[in-house]
């Protein structure tokens, strides 16, 4: 700590040199995944501090991480960090392993408000191998950022023409249906007369975690599968509902954490064809139905968790290693009550990798694979899932939960929309529920209103993301009527205002006059914005008053040359001032769920 004053002077001097555009050897530049990796293994450290410069492309909130070789991490670290001369007052805590070593994180985030050159200085009793800058949203969401061992190969695949074309489709699609459906749907949130909330066993209280939350033995759960025999109308009904809601793609749980496959798998008999009375392949049927409706198709696949055939997901072995170095191990999602006797490696080689390949080979038009439960899989294993998919079909988009940030985009978290400072990361998606549970729970009647779903939707659209909205059909495949009604009503708004949704991007403003509280009631005067070329869309989810003011579209935003009410051919009268765009709505009636204004801007 005694070197802080001297080091601050050095850091300021270095910033001044860099600010004049002088090249500095080895300066790190922010990567595609928004992380900055600074190799300091060869940098001199003689009782003082390391200073490294880096080029930031995306302003936002970041945390600093140190990577140490295991032999230098057995004792508590004494370390301090300054970013642009500002001292972080907390101590680093060990977070996780990567192939390069052990990652420790300073919990205090630093806001880097401007792109350009910045510096980090580090004093540490044990010299790190790397200093890393990671978006805070990754740390908040417990996202593990991998080493650089696979990054060059990953970025080559991610940046390929096929993958970028797939990402262009995905970004334009904006709105999809998530479906959580399986054996657990038949139980409807209860087991032997006890609701999942009253199980007495710690765990998520959502229906699809039934086997875990009741610690149901594998043999007993297999027997229960005989009760799952859905109606043959499932696929066509679901595809039609997605189309009526204005969705462009569908993603269904081909295999959730219980390990049960909704498709006929050649590598496991724990599937729809062998473990239930149903005659058919539910994934193939829904794939065909979605294509008939013009919808893209994707599958969810739980690769890290498999409570039937995935043993304890290597929990005991990983925990023993972590405990030695003080790295936390989260047991959530691991089968510790009745694990299968096979090694975890056998599960990956004999089931997980082959099933992913089966899905790709059977469905040549598969557009997305949504992984979950990465848990304790290694960096090499996560990368192999990504590479396996790319090698078989490079046109498939992969979500970040494949592990170690090797996905093509990130999720903001369940039912979570990122804040402005968190948008430094890759393109994002929010997956959300229509009530509380993802899978079917017969007594969960707390349905979100159409207006609340739209509020979530326009917030996501304004920040440039996708909304993957979930349904949980019952054991027969039927969707609860309140969910159907709100989805269809939502679809009317989406279809009327499609120009503001599909193919749009963020504007210079996300919103105005919006109450940021979760589940806030919508009121007049709230607007969310999106943009396309020289057009700006102002989205409201309440009916228009006789006079409407949009402050963000004042004269300084650009000259409004044309104004259009989407879904209407009625002419609007408006006046643009330095304070706001003022629109006369007298005599014009708008929908109960609001309206969208398209403003064409000129010079």
């Amino acid at each position: 700590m005694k070197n802080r004053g001297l080091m601050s002077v050095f850091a300021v001097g270095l910033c001044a040199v860099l600010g004049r555009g002088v090249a500095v050897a080895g300066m790190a530049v922010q990567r595609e995944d928004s992380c900055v990796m600074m190799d300091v293994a060869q940098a001199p450290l003689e009782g003082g501090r390391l200073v490294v410069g880096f080029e930031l492309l995306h302003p936002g909130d970041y945390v600093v991480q140190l990577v140490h070789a295991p032999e230098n991490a057995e004792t508590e670290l004494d370390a301090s960090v300054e970013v642009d001369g500002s001292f972080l007052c907390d101590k680093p805590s060990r977070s996780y392993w990567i192939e390069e070593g052990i990652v420790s994180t300073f919990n205090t985030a630093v806001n880097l408000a401007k792109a350009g050159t910045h510096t980090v200085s580090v004093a540490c009793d044990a010299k790190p191998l790397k200093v890393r800058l990671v978006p805070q949203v990754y740390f908040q969401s417990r996202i593990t950022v991998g080493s650089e061992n696979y990054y060059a190969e990953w970025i080559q695949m991610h940046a390929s023409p096929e993958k970028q074309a797939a990402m262009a489709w995905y970004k334009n699609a904006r709105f999809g249906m998530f479906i959580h459906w399986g054996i657990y749907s038949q139980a409807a949130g209860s087991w032997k007369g006890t609701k999942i909330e009253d199980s007495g066993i710690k765990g998520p209280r959502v229906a699809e975690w039934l086997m875990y939350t009741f610690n149901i033995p594998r043999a007993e759960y297999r027997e229960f599968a005989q009760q799952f025999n859905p109606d043959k109308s499932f696929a066509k009904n679901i595809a039609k509902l997605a189309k009526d809601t204005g969705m462009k793609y569908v993603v269904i749980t081909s295999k959730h954490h219980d390990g049960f496959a909704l498709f006929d798998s050649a590598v496991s008999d724990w599937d729809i064809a062998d473990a239930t009375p149903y005659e058919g392949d539910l994934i193939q049927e829904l794939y065909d139905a979605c294509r008939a409706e013009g919808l893209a198709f994707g599958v969810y696949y739980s690769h890290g968790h498999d409570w039937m055939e995935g043993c304890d997901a290597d929990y005991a072995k990983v925990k023993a290693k972590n405990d030695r170095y003080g790295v936390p191990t989260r047991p959530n999602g691991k089968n510790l009550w009745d694990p299968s006797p096979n090694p975890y490696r056998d599960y990956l080689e004999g089931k997980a990798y082959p099933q992913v390949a089966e899905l790709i080979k059977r469905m040549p038009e598969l557009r997305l694979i949504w992984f979950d439960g990465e848990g304790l899989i290694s960096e090499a294993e996560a990368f192999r899932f990504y590479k396996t998919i790319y090698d078989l079909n490079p046109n498939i988009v992969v979500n970040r939960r494949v592990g170690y940030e090797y996905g093509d985009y990130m999720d903001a978290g369940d039912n979570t929309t990122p804040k402005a400072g968190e948008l430094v990361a890759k393109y994002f998606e929010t997956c959300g529920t229509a009530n509380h549970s993802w899978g079917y729970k017969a007594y969960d009647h707390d349905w979100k209103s159409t207006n609340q779903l739209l509020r979530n939707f326009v917030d996501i659209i304004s920040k440039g993301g996708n909304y993957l909205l979930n349904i949980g059909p019952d054991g027969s495949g039927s969707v609860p009527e309140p969910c159907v009604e709100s989805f269809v009503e939502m679809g009317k708004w989406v279809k009327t205002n499609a120009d503001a949704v599909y193919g749009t991007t963020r504007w210079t403003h996300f919103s105005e006059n919006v109450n940021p509280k979760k589940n806030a009631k919508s009121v007049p005067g709230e607007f969310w914005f999106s943009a396309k070329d020289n057009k700006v869309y102002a989205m409201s989810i309440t009916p228009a008053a006789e006079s409407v003011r949009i402050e963000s579209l004042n004269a300084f935003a650009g000259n409004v040359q044309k104004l259009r009410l989407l879904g209407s051919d009625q002419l609007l009268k408006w006046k643009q001032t330095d304070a706001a765009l003022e629109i006369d709505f007298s005599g014009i009636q708008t929908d109960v769920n609001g309206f969208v204004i398209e403003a064409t801007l000129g010079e």
Side-chain angles (χ1 to χ4, degrees), residues 218 304-315 333-348:
R218 290 180 298 119
H305 299 334
D306 190 308
W307 301 326
M308 187 62 68
E309 296 165 315
C311 66
D312 70 344
D314 261 358
Y315 175 75
K334 316 300 181 291
N335 185 343
L336 305 182
W337 69 93
D338 181 28
S340 57
N342 56 286
Y344 190 57
R345 168 64 60 181
D346 289 356
Y347 152 72
L348 290 173

Side-chain angles (χ1 to χ4, degrees), residues 89-239:
C89 60
D90 62 332
K91 294 286 185 182
S93 57
R94 292 191 177 92
S95 304
Y96 48 79
W97 281 84
I98 57 175
E99 289 194 2
E100 292 171 324
I102 297 175
V103 177
S104 300
T105 306
F106 288 83
N107 298 343
T108 302
V110 58
N111 178 257
L112 299 176
K114 293 183 179 180
T117 300
H118 299 267
T119 58
V120 174
S121 74
V122 179
C124 187
D125 55 349
K127 185 177 180 180
L129 302 173
K130 277 189 170 62
V131 178
R132 315 197 315 174
L133 205 69
V134 174
Q136 185 191 27
V137 64
Y138 291 172
F139 179 65
Q140 288 174 331
S141 304
R142 294 194 178 98
I143 295 174
T144 302
V145 178
S147 68
E148 294 189 273
N149 292 356
Y150 306 97
Y151 183 79
E153 190 175 357
W154 173 82
I155 193 63
Q156 185 175 13
M157 291 185 285
H158 175 72
S160 68
E162 296 91 346
K163 186 71 77 169
Q164 288 305 298
M167 280 302 297
W169 158 77
Y170 176 74
K171 292 175 181 179
N172 286 333
R174 305 309 290 274
F175 194 23
M177 175 182 281
F178 213 2
I179 308 169
H180 278 66
W181 196 42
I183 299 299
Y184 46 81
S185 306
Q186 191 68 37
S190 299
W191 187 249
K192 297 180 179 179
T194 301
K195 293 180 178 179
I196 199 168
E197 288 81 3
D198 302 323
S199 71
I201 297 171
K202 187 178 180 181
R205 298 318 191 199
V206 285
E208 66 278 9
W209 280 66
L210 181 91
M211 185 180 178
Y212 181 95
T213 310
F214 284 99
N215 283 186
I216 302 170
R218 290 180 298 119
E220 187 175 353
Y221 196 69
R222 275 184 177 270
E223 185 177 345
F224 181 69
Q226 286 295 319
Q227 299 183 37
F228 187 60
N229 191 18
D231 191 270
K232 278 288 187 180
S233 64
F234 161 78
K236 289 185 178 179
N237 292 342
I238 293 296

Side-chain angles (χ1 to χ4, degrees), residues 241-303:
L241 177 59
K243 186 71 173 290
D244 289 345
T245 311
M247 293 160 167
K248 296 295 187 182
Y249 60 105
V250 170
V251 179
I252 186 172
T253 50
S254 66
K255 177 179 88 78
H256 206 272
H257 302 333
D258 60 2
F260 177 77
L262 285 174
F263 58 98
D264 184 5
S265 174
V267 298
S268 172
D269 62 0
W270 181 226
D271 64 13
I272 189 66
D274 299 304
T276 78
Y278 187 82
E279 295 184 0
D281 185 314
L282 290 165
I283 296 299
Q284 185 68 49
E285 291 164 26
L286 185 57
Y287 171 74
D288 293 338
C290 285
R291 292 187 68 211
E293 291 285 0
L295 300 169
F297 189 75
V299 291
Y300 166 114
Y301 189 89
S302 174
H303 61 324

Side-chain angles (χ1 to χ4, degrees), residues 548-570:
V548 170
R549 281 173 54 90
I550 307 176
E551 296 167 6
S552 300
L553 281 171
N554 60 29
F556 299 103
N559 179 34
V560 174
Q561 297 181 332
K562 182 180 178 182
L563 215 58
R564 181 169 72 103
L565 175 64
L566 296 189
S568 172
D569 56 4
Q570 297 187 69

Side-chain angles (χ1 to χ4, degrees), residues 478-544:
S478 298
V479 181
E481 193 57 33
C483 180
V484 173
E485 291 175 358
S486 62
F487 273 44
V488 172
E489 189 177 357
M490 187 182 184
K492 294 176 183 177
W493 188 97
V494 173
K495 290 176 182 178
T496 297
N497 302 301
D499 286 348
V501 175
Y502 307 120
T504 57
T505 60
R506 305 173 196 163
W507 189 44
T508 53
H509 299 269
F510 297 142
S511 60
E512 72 178 40
N513 301 324
V514 169
N515 187 338
K517 291 184 179 179
K518 196 170 185 179
N519 300 325
K521 185 178 180 181
S522 300
V523 296
E526 293 181 314
F527 286 98
W528 292 261
F529 302 100
S530 63
K532 186 189 302 177
D533 300 324
N534 65 332
K535 293 179 171 62
V536 174
Y537 298 93
M539 300 174 281
S540 169
I541 51 174
T542 57

